Amino acid sequence: AYGQKGQFINSVSRSMLNQWLLEEVEQMGMKISFRTKFINVGKDGTVTMLHDDTGKSETCKFDLVIGADGAFSKVRDSLGRLVRQTFSKTYIDHGYKELNIPPTSDGDFAMNPEALHIWPRHEFMMIALPNPDKSFTCTLFMPFEGEHGFDSVKTADDVKEVFQKYFSDAVPLMPQLVEDYMANPTSSLITVRCEPWNYQGKVVLIGDAAHAIVPFYGQGMNAAFEDCLVLDDFVAKHGFDFATILPIFAEQRKEAANALANLSLHNYVEMRSSTAKIGYRIKRVVDRGIHSLLGNKWLPLYSMVSFSCIPYNEALARASHQDALIGCALKWMSV
């Protein structure tokens, strides 16, 4: 149900990506300040920083301040004191815990590495993604509370009982299941929305600082990189006229980011529940069949979101129209 033949997304080590980005900016001659905390940004675009090593603060003036400091952004907090900012931080009732399937005794993958493995259980699910060392990272998504909640799995026996009942085929592949479950943290899932993303032509937010999303479309990092791409396109067209660029950029990307946030929340329901339903599978087969006939005139939603540069809001609108047509066709065929 996910993508077309030859389409796949890759997971990337965060630490390796950070290291690569640091090496790239160093080669470009940029100054990197470690052990330095952002304090605030002023109306004139000055930034106050605190150096941990000396305990002294420093105020610097920049042409542009870009807040790319994540879902709990300090730049966003500071921006909120410069503009009338509307901001929401929404936690969903479900969390996640990472587990592991190691390589087999002969050093091979324990399952097909060219697949997204999903155990849909309607109210919860587990997924598994392959790693370069031939292990799989498994992620268990469940409510925090309730019959199928993390709070009901407290002991080693509880872990064994739940996994034997709902993921029995995975249990033989997870020799450290109980140890991993008891040791690894249960983490929250958050959606961040805010507006505006900018203050005049002096400050702008990108990435999770502006639009953190739940991970069920695998698009969080891609959306941040797309922010960079779109902003770079604006600079290429308009030069460094940030007073003109930033309000247009922020408004355009906000629509796309809000659509992606909604898509990501919906895809959790689709992954944990819809994929187990025959009606959903039929619709997806029809969807792919039409695409094979019409090519780029008809693209499945997942392909538009993950394998194209179509803005997320446009992809959502286009897919809604296509789904309505499929629904009408299937209804007509069943009459």
Side-chain angles (χ1 to χ4, degrees), residues 54-130:
T54 63
K56 296 181 179 180
S57 62
E58 178 185 9
T59 299
C60 301
K61 180 71 168 65
F62 298 99
D63 294 329
L64 176 65
V65 177
I66 300 177
D69 52 337
F72 300 94
S73 169
K74 295 298 183 182
V75 178
R76 184 185 63 231
D77 292 345
S78 188
L79 176 63
R81 292 188 284 272
L82 300 178
V83 296
R84 295 189 301 275
Q85 184 185 73
T86 300
F87 167 72
S88 69
K89 180 173 63 178
T90 307
Y91 290 90
I92 66 173
D93 295 331
H94 294 227
Y96 70 95
K97 185 185 289 286
E98 290 194 348
L99 305 168
N100 182 260
I101 293 177
T104 61
S105 57
D106 58 358
D108 204 356
F109 285 106
M111 301 184 295
N112 180 6
E114 297 184 0
L116 168 61
H117 297 273
I118 307 176
W119 289 260
R121 299 297 182 262
H122 297 295
E123 289 301 315
F124 58 100
M125 71 173 184
M126 184 170 73
I127 67 172
L129 296 168

Side-chain angles (χ1 to χ4, degrees), residues 203-257:
V203 184
V204 67
L205 304 175
I206 63 172
D208 281 359
H211 50 76
I213 57 173
V214 294
F216 303 111
Y217 239 113
Q219 287 294 302
M221 184 180 1
N222 287 353
F225 285 148
E226 193 170 278
D227 288 342
C228 299
L229 180 64
V230 173
L231 184 57
D232 187 60
D233 285 343
F234 273 113
V235 171
K237 294 176 182 176
H238 302 285
F240 296 99
D241 182 8
F242 293 120
T244 298
I245 289 173
L246 295 189
I248 303 171
F249 162 80
E251 186 62 29
Q252 177 179 313
R253 290 300 293 161
K254 178 173 68 69
E255 291 185 26

Side-chain angles (χ1 to χ4, degrees), residues 193 213 257-267 316:
R193 304 175 196 257
I213 57 173
N258 285 338
L260 180 60
N262 295 334
L263 282 165
S264 300
L265 289 165
H266 174 75
N267 209 46
L316 179 58

Side-chain angles (χ1 to χ4, degrees), residues 10 28 41 68 84 115 121 136 139 180 209 217 231 236 249 259 294:
N10 296 295
M28 296 171 66
V41 58
R84 295 189 301 275
R121 299 297 182 262
F136 283 85
T139 310
D180 287 346
Y217 239 113
L231 184 57
F249 162 80
L294 300 182

Side-chain angles (χ1 to χ4, degrees), residues 110-309:
M111 301 184 295
N112 180 6
E114 297 184 0
L116 168 61
H117 297 273
I118 307 176
W119 289 260
R121 299 297 182 262
H122 297 295
E123 289 301 315
F124 58 100
M125 71 173 184
M126 184 170 73
I127 67 172
L129 296 168
N131 297 313
D133 65 356
K134 297 192 176 181
S135 68
F136 283 85
T137 295
C138 300
T139 310
L140 176 65
F141 297 95
M142 291 201 307
F144 282 105
E145 301 173 349
E147 179 184 357
H148 300 123
F150 283 110
D151 68 341
S152 66
V153 185
K154 299 177 181 178
T155 67
D157 287 340
D158 292 339
V159 175
K160 294 175 184 177
E161 181 181 349
V162 167
F163 273 77
Q164 196 59 53
K165 182 176 181 179
Y166 295 107
F167 311 111
S168 58
D169 59 329
V171 171
L173 309 178
M174 307 173 78
Q176 294 293 116
L177 169 61
V178 173
E179 292 83 355
D180 287 346
Y181 189 97
M182 302 303 287
N184 294 346
T186 302
S187 301
S188 301
L189 298 164
I190 187 175
T191 298
V192 167
R193 304 175 196 257
C194 75
E195 63 173 316
W197 292 8
N198 70 293
Y199 170 65
Q200 300 178 354
K202 300 173 181 177
V203 184
V204 67
L205 304 175
I206 63 172
D208 281 359
H211 50 76
I213 57 173
V214 294
F216 303 111
Y217 239 113
Q219 287 294 302
M221 184 180 1
N222 287 353
F225 285 148
E226 193 170 278
D227 288 342
C228 299
L229 180 64
V230 173
L231 184 57
D232 187 60
D233 285 343
F234 273 113
V235 171
K237 294 176 182 176
H238 302 285
F240 296 99
D241 182 8
F242 293 120
T244 298
I245 289 173
L246 295 189
I248 303 171
F249 162 80
E251 186 62 29
Q252 177 179 313
R253 290 300 293 161
K254 178 173 68 69
E255 291 185 26
N258 285 338
L260 180 60
N262 295 334
L263 282 165
S264 300
L265 289 165
H266 174 75
N267 209 46
Y268 182 32
V269 177
E270 189 168 288
M271 291 176 72
R272 75 176 195 240
S273 183
S274 301
T275 53
K277 298 176 181 178
I278 188 64
Y280 170 86
R281 297 181 187 180
I282 291 173
K283 286 185 69 175
R284 296 286 70 84
V285 168
V286 173
D287 196 23
R288 292 196 300 272
I290 298 174
H291 168 64
S292 67
L293 293 173
L294 300 182
N296 289 339
K297 293 181 180 179
W298 183 292
L299 290 171
L301 176 60
Y302 189 81
S303 296
M304 286 191 281
V305 169
S306 300
F307 304 106
S308 83
C309 291

